[in-house]
Amino acid sequence: MTNAAALPGQPRGGVLSGPATARAVNVLAPNASAMTLDGTNTWILAEPDSDLAVVVDPGPLDDAHLRRVVDTAERVGKRVALTLLTHGHPDHAEGAARFAELTRTNVRALDPALRLGEEGLAAGDVIAVGGLELRVVPTPGHTADSLCFHLPADRAVLTGDTVLGRGTTVVAHPDGRLGDYLDSLRRLRSLTADDGVHTVLPGHGPVLEDAQGVVEYYLAHRAHRLAQVETAVEDGHRTPGEVVAHVYADVDRSLWPAAELSVRAQLEYLGEHGLIQLPD
């Protein structure tokens, strides 16, 4: 988590809603906040010559927003045929059941509790709808159920909250674990190196044009924060609250409760690797 206005990754300027790639259109949810940035990005994905679309992360339970997503697809001759979730946080998933009613679609997610229909999502799954191909990439860490979706035809990846378009994300301890998150970032780095992914379609914030650059930044940022937390503990800051006040002094205080989740994940990681000792 950082107050940085922009990151390496060449964030795209201008209006967030609208076409982002040949196959991806964003409908921005009206739920802007310190944690959600400009709001949740609800992605409509479709092959240009197909009448079928996939929607990723319908967003909050806001009927006007959900209907706007349907209308946006229908205006260009698309019918929503499937709903997918990157993870279960309410700003991404709370509206999924209502959206499924509006579109008469199934909802596929890693967490069985979020699914509507028999099919879930798992590592290596390939989703094919109307000629569109999406590949499921497991990326736990922000939450245990976090997924990304690789869109090979656009050399893009939809990252949910694993990588944001601005700032850095929270490791939502105890559900999120830092070791998992670092592994997930390395998995995304492999997509940029081995599969030619260059565009990030995030769950919040602008589209990023340099996927490798932003993933490398995230890895470096996490290493830097870990070192800061380790030093803070060595200097006598023992509780998560004390570490937050010391290490995240550059972050808006309204974000400190979220920062404390990441600190707890960092302390757990450092303890598991024998780098610090904390009282029970």
Side-chain angles (χ1 to χ4, degrees):
M1 178 179 295
T2 175
N3 279 344
L7 293 175
Q10 299 176 18
R12 189 181 295 175
V15 178
L16 296 181
S17 284
T21 68
R23 293 164 181 81
V25 174
N26 181 30
V27 182
L28 183 65
N31 61 333
S33 72
M35 289 298 296
T36 61
L37 304 181
D38 310 272
T40 300
N41 295 333
T42 295
W43 292 102
I44 303 172
L45 308 175
E47 284 295 318
D49 59 354
S50 173
D51 62 353
L52 299 179
V54 174
V55 165
V56 177
D57 289 350
L61 184 54
D62 181 309
D63 215 60
H65 168 66
L66 301 177
R67 291 182 182 276
R68 189 163 58 250
V69 175
V70 176
D71 291 345
T72 300
E74 290 182 346
R75 276 199 304 270
V76 292
K78 312 290 186 186
R79 176 177 66 83
V80 178
L82 180 64
T83 303
L84 303 175
L85 297 176
T86 61
H87 66 297
H89 278 168
D91 57 313
H92 294 257
E94 186 182 37
R98 174 59 178 151
F99 189 72
E101 290 179 1
L102 292 173
T103 58
R104 299 181 180 179
T105 59
N106 289 339
V107 176
R108 295 180 64 180
L110 180 62
D111 184 350
L114 300 171
R115 300 172 189 168
L116 291 174
E118 296 182 358
E119 285 190 291
L121 292 171
D125 282 354
V126 177
I127 299 160
V129 174
L132 181 81
E133 179 183 296
L134 287 172
R135 300 174 185 172
V136 177
V137 183
T139 51
H142 170 67
T143 60
D145 69 330
S146 288
L147 298 170
C148 292
F149 298 103
H150 178 200
L151 179 55
D154 283 348
R155 297 173 64 193
V157 60
L158 290 88
T159 55
D161 282 356
T162 299
V163 172
L164 305 179
R166 185 171 64 250
T168 53
T169 199
V170 172
V171 179
H173 183 272
D175 183 47
R177 293 175 58 85
L178 183 57
D180 291 341
Y181 185 65
L182 294 174
D183 288 342
S184 293
L185 290 177
R186 296 181 189 109
R187 194 169 296 119
L188 290 176
R189 182 171 59 187
S190 294
L191 280 183
T192 70
D194 302 333
D195 295 279
V197 166
H198 62 68
T199 301
V200 173
L201 306 177
H204 303 278
V207 172
L208 300 174
E209 304 285 7
D210 178 13
Q212 185 170 18
V214 73
V215 172
E216 293 288 1
Y217 175 89
Y218 265 55
L219 284 164
H221 173 77
R222 284 296 166 196
H224 178 62
R225 284 297 196 207
L226 267 176
Q228 288 180 310
V229 169
E230 184 177 0
T231 299
V233 172
E234 291 171 351
D235 289 345
H237 303 281
R238 308 295 287 175
T239 69
E242 290 172 351
V243 173
V244 168
H246 182 72
V247 172
Y248 288 78
D250 61 329
V251 172
D252 190 299
R253 283 176 176 259
S254 68
L255 297 175
W256 279 15
E260 184 169 325
L261 297 179
S262 286
V263 164
R264 289 180 181 275
Q266 292 164 19
L267 292 172
E268 178 183 69
Y269 179 89
L270 291 167
E272 288 174 347
H273 288 77
L275 297 173
I276 62 170
Q277 284 190 332
L278 289 174
D280 293 337

